[in-house]
Amino acid sequence: MTERSTESRRPTIKEVARLAGVSHQTVSRYLRSRSGLKPATLASIDAAVSELNYRPNLVARSMRTRRTGRLAILLPTMVFNPARMLHGATEAAHEAGFTVEAISVVGDTAARTERMLEIAGTGQVEGILALAPIAPGAEDHLPHGETIVVAADFDDQMRGIGELADAAPLVEIMEGLAALGHHRFFHVAGNLQFASARARKAAYLETVERLGLESAGVVDGDWSGRSGYDAVRSLPDEAMPTAVIAANDVVAAGAIRALIERGLDVPGDASVTGWDNNEACEYLPPSLTSVEVNLEGLGRNAMLSLVKAISGRELEPASRPLQHVVWRESTGPTAPR
C-alpha cells in the first residue's frame, strides 16, 4: 500500500475505540446518542474522534439502520439572505456526522409547508430544519418518525422576532453614553412593521425616562440611509443631540453624513451608533459603534435542536451571545456646548 492511499484511508470505529480506551460498542452507542455515557468516557471518545478526524460512514450506517444520515434545511426566498445562519447550521450538522441539503422555496407559508411535507414524504432525510415559518399544525401531517424543527426567529415576512427583537443592546448603548456625559439623545427608528424596530423604539423611550435624559425626538424611518440623513437634517440647531441612536448601520451612515454637512464632528460634537455590525463599520472614518448579531450562532443552535431530537446528541452551543455591543470611534465623551 502506498503512503498516499494510507493517508486517505478512513479511520474505523475500532480505531477510535482503541485510541479512546473503550469498546467499539461504546463508540457505536456514542455515535447514536451521548446520553447515558460518563463524562470521562465522552471526553476520551471526543478526543479520539478529533485526533483521528473520524466521520461516520453514512452509507454503511444507512444500510444497517435504515437511516440516511441526511438532513434538509428549508430556506426562505432569497429576499432575505440566510447565508450566515446556513453556515452555522451546516457546520453543526457536519460535526454530528450528517450531510445537509439546503432547499430554497419561493412563495408564502403555505408553499413552504407543502414543500416541507413533500421532502418529508420521500424518506430521504432524517429531519428538516426550517429557517422560515410553516403553517400551524403542519407537524400533524408528517410521516411517522420524521422530525422537523422550526427556527422561531422570523415571522412570515422574515422580520426578526423573538431574540432578534431583543432591545437590550440599545439600553446598554444609552447607559454607556449617559455615563460619558451625554444627556440629549435622538433616535432614528426602523420600519415599525418590524418587531425589532418597535422594541428598540420602546426601549429608547423607557431609557430616556428612567435615566432622566432629554430626547430630541424619535423619527420613524425605513432602515435606509436617506431616513437617517433626512432625520438629522430636519433638526433645528437649538435641538441638536449629542447622541444619535440609529436603527441600523445604513441609517447611521446617513446620520453621520448629515451631521458633517451641518459642520459637526463625530464623535466630538455628536456620537452615533448603528446596529448589525456590517463589515464596513470597522473601516468607516470614524469606525462605527454597532451591535453584532450572531446569525451563525442562531443557525447553529437551531440545528443542534434538530440533531438532539433525532439522535439525542448534544453538541456545544454557540459560544458568543446572539447580540452584543461593539464600541468603536463614533462614540465618545460629550463635548461642552
Side-chain angles (χ1 to χ4, degrees):
M1 184 178 292
T2 65
E3 181 179 354
R4 181 182 181 87
S5 62
T6 299
E7 292 178 348
S8 62
R9 183 178 64 82
R10 294 173 64 104
T12 67
I13 191 172
K14 291 185 177 181
E15 289 171 327
V16 173
R18 189 179 305 117
L19 183 59
V22 299
S23 68
H24 71 272
Q25 291 92 341
T26 299
V27 177
S28 179
R29 179 182 170 190
Y30 162 94
L31 293 173
R32 293 192 304 271
S33 172
R34 297 170 66 91
S35 60
L37 294 174
K38 296 179 180 179
T41 301
L42 290 172
S44 297
I45 300 176
D46 284 341
V49 167
S50 177
E51 181 175 338
L52 294 174
N53 194 27
Y54 175 78
R55 294 292 181 271
N57 187 325
L58 298 178
V59 174
R61 184 172 71 179
S62 177
M63 294 175 64
R64 291 194 309 272
T65 65
R66 297 186 179 181
R67 301 183 68 172
T68 66
R70 298 176 62 203
L71 304 175
I73 300 179
L74 198 65
L75 303 175
T77 58
M78 291 308 172
V79 171
F80 164 77
N81 183 0
R84 292 174 57 194
M85 288 182 66
L86 182 60
H87 174 75
T90 53
E91 187 176 64
H94 293 159
E95 285 180 25
F98 290 95
T99 58
V100 177
E101 180 178 357
I103 302 166
S104 176
V105 180
V106 177
D108 57 11
T109 300
R112 285 194 295 270
T113 303
E114 181 180 359
R115 181 66 177 127
M116 180 205 71
L117 293 174
E118 288 176 358
I119 296 167
T122 65
Q124 295 180 3
V125 298
E126 294 186 41
I128 301 171
L129 171 62
L131 296 182
I134 60 171
E139 297 88 343
D140 298 336
H141 302 285
L142 289 171
H144 177 70
E146 191 71 36
T147 302
I148 180 168
V149 167
V150 181
D153 301 293
F154 299 93
D155 67 11
D156 193 42
Q157 280 73 50
M158 296 312 296
R159 298 175 296 206
I161 56 178
E163 288 185 276
L164 287 179
D166 180 15
L170 183 143
V171 176
E172 179 184 341
I173 286 172
M174 293 183 67
E175 290 176 341
L177 290 175
L180 291 174
H182 291 272
H183 187 75
R184 180 180 290 172
F185 286 72
F186 181 58
H187 180 41
V188 187
N191 186 329
L192 294 185
Q193 292 184 4
F194 288 72
S196 55
R198 296 193 299 272
R200 292 173 207 170
K201 178 178 179 179
Y204 169 85
L205 294 172
E206 186 277 330
T207 305
V208 165
E209 181 176 358
R210 177 170 57 85
L211 298 182
L213 304 173
E214 180 183 348
S215 177
V218 176
V219 172
D220 298 336
D222 57 6
W223 307 113
S224 70
R226 171 59 67 176
S227 69
Y229 178 86
D230 288 345
V232 172
R233 289 291 297 182
S234 69
L235 289 170
D237 291 339
E238 63 274 14
M240 289 302 294
T242 64
V244 178
I245 310 298
N248 66 12
D249 300 331
V250 179
V251 175
I256 290 173
R257 177 76 181 188
L259 288 166
I260 291 174
E261 288 186 2
R262 297 188 67 159
L264 299 174
D265 176 70
V266 177
D269 296 307
S271 290
V272 179
T273 68
W275 198 290
D276 290 335
N277 198 30
N278 186 287
E279 183 181 1
C281 291
E282 187 176 356
Y283 304 102
L284 293 173
S287 58
L288 181 65
T289 291
S290 188
V291 176
E292 167 72 19
V293 182
N294 184 12
L295 292 176
E296 293 86 355
L298 198 67
R300 176 179 181 83
N301 290 344
M303 178 57 75
L304 295 187
S305 297
L306 179 60
V307 169
K308 182 178 180 180
I310 294 171
S311 66
R313 292 192 65 186
E314 295 191 15
L315 302 179
E316 288 294 324
S319 58
R320 292 186 292 120
L322 180 59
Q323 298 183 143
H324 72 278
V325 179
V326 181
W327 295 94
R328 295 196 180 96
E329 297 167 344
S330 67
T331 50
T334 184
R337 291 290 177 91

